[in-house]
Amino acid sequence: LIDFPSFPCQRQPVLSSDVTDISSLQIETCGGWKKKYLETKKITSSLEEILTKLREDLELYYKKLLMQLEAREIKMKPKNLANISDSKNYLIIQITEVQHAIDQLKRKLDTDKMKLIIEVKMRKQAVSDLQTLKTELAQK
């Protein structure tokens, strides 16, 4: 699951009982954050389950492919004892392994990018909410 930073409303101090309008705005802001978080969490959890299943299927496919290529290499060994490292099949195995490693790095990069984007958006929203609260406080 994607971990969102803590709600900004948890970090905001309650000013005093005299400023009820600001407190209600804080509660409203907090409720909005929680609502958005819970909606996103519902959607994200089901999508992440699907993604996990697809990644498992991809790993299984990769392992089967590698096993088939290695089995073919073993069958060809008696014929090519001198040229084992030069065989097409050996090169295909190496290419497949490198491509798999590249794909894993790309997935990790995409995940990290997504987390960074979420963090930036959450920070911008927190700054915006803080600015709104400051403006409301200044008007009182």
Side-chain angles (χ1 to χ4, degrees), residues 76-89:
M76 294 171 54
K77 271 187 181 180
K79 299 174 188 173
N80 294 351
L81 286 178
N83 298 342
I84 291 176
S85 62
D86 293 337
S87 73
K88 275 185 177 180
N89 198 56

Side-chain angles (χ1 to χ4, degrees), residues 120-135:
V120 168
K121 285 182 180 180
M122 295 292 281
R123 285 184 184 187
K124 284 181 181 178
Q125 183 64 40
V127 168
S128 172
D129 290 347
L130 182 61
Q131 196 67 24
T132 303
L133 289 173
K134 284 181 179 179
T135 305

Side-chain angles (χ1 to χ4, degrees), residues 25-43:
L25 183 60
Q26 284 179 331
I27 292 169
E28 192 176 300
T29 303
C30 184
W33 277 88
K34 282 186 180 180
K35 184 178 177 184
K36 287 180 190 177
Y37 172 76
L38 293 174
E39 288 174 1
T40 305
K41 187 175 178 182
K42 285 180 189 176
I43 294 168

